[in-house]
Amino acid sequence: MELRRRETGECFALRDGLLFGRLGSCDVQIQDTSVSRQHARIALEEGNFVLVDLNSSNGCFQNGTRHQQILLRAGDLITLGVVAFDVVADEAAKPTAEVSPATTASPGQIEETARRRAQVRRQITGDGRSRGLGDLGQQPLSIRLLAAMFGLLVLYAVMMGVRWLAAML
């Protein structure tokens, strides 16, 4: 089983521990700002491949619905951020999970997913997007603590400024 990226046609053979993200240390590097540094990984559970979201900002979607864990089945549309992948089965491999017709993507779901992807891409590439720390949840603990301390310091300075102005009046 493999994931085929819709935009480029690149194929990625699935294996246990395969890591998707923007970082150079990821097995599959995706240079898109909607993808977190460590976005998702593949796990092998009872002979089935499962995509596990690593608390990414923009999430992982299966056929237009956001999930924390996704059982990968041939024909599914998987979206990491706004980057779309099709799940493709190998001819030699036999699927171990039964796929019911209700779980495959309908044309309406695919169109809705494409519309949402375009909307998120417009929001991400807009001029008003912050270029600061990015996904603070994936920063090291020391950076998160430093950001929290800085926020408290700014809050304290604002409070002292208001007190000073009140005393001056």
Side-chain angles (χ1 to χ4, degrees):
M1 194 171 272
E2 61 186 17
L3 288 180
R4 179 178 299 138
R5 187 169 174 178
R6 282 195 169 181
E7 295 170 347
T8 63
E10 293 176 273
C11 291
F12 306 99
L14 299 182
R15 63 175 169 74
D16 190 33
L18 188 68
L19 185 62
F20 294 83
R22 284 192 338 255
L23 285 178
S25 61
C26 292
D27 300 312
V28 178
Q29 260 189 306
I30 304 171
Q31 295 305 322
D32 190 287
T33 55
S34 69
V35 176
S36 296
R37 285 174 235 187
Q38 290 186 344
H39 198 97
R41 87 178 149 73
I42 300 293
L44 187 60
E45 296 179 2
E46 298 177 5
N48 296 307
F49 288 111
V50 177
L51 182 87
V52 180
D53 188 349
L54 299 176
N55 297 319
S56 61
S57 297
N58 295 318
C60 297
F61 294 83
Q62 176 186 36
N63 301 326
T65 306
R66 188 173 185 159
H67 297 282
Q68 194 64 29
Q69 291 191 350
I70 300 170
L71 175 64
L72 297 176
R73 295 174 288 223
D76 280 348
L77 168 66
I78 303 298
T79 311
L80 306 179
V82 297
V83 180
F85 295 88
D86 290 309
V87 180
V88 181
D90 299 330
E91 282 83 29
K94 294 184 176 118
T96 57
E98 188 66 31
V99 179
S100 66
T103 60
T104 59
S106 70
Q109 288 175 318
I110 293 173
E111 289 174 14
E112 176 65 18
T113 300
R115 189 188 63 72
R116 280 192 217 159
R117 287 178 57 222
Q119 180 182 12
V120 170
R121 187 171 298 279
R122 281 192 303 273
Q123 291 172 351
I124 289 172
T125 58
D127 292 336
R129 183 170 182 267
S130 171
R131 302 285 186 224
L133 291 173
D135 186 4
L136 195 58
Q138 290 192 354
Q139 294 289 341
L141 180 61
S142 58
I143 298 295
R144 286 186 278 171
L145 289 174
L146 191 62
M149 289 175 50
F150 181 72
L152 289 173
L153 180 64
V154 168
L155 183 62
Y156 179 75
V158 168
M159 287 176 23
M160 290 296 112
V162 169
R163 287 177 113 186
W164 178 78
L165 281 174
M168 294 299 286
L169 298 175

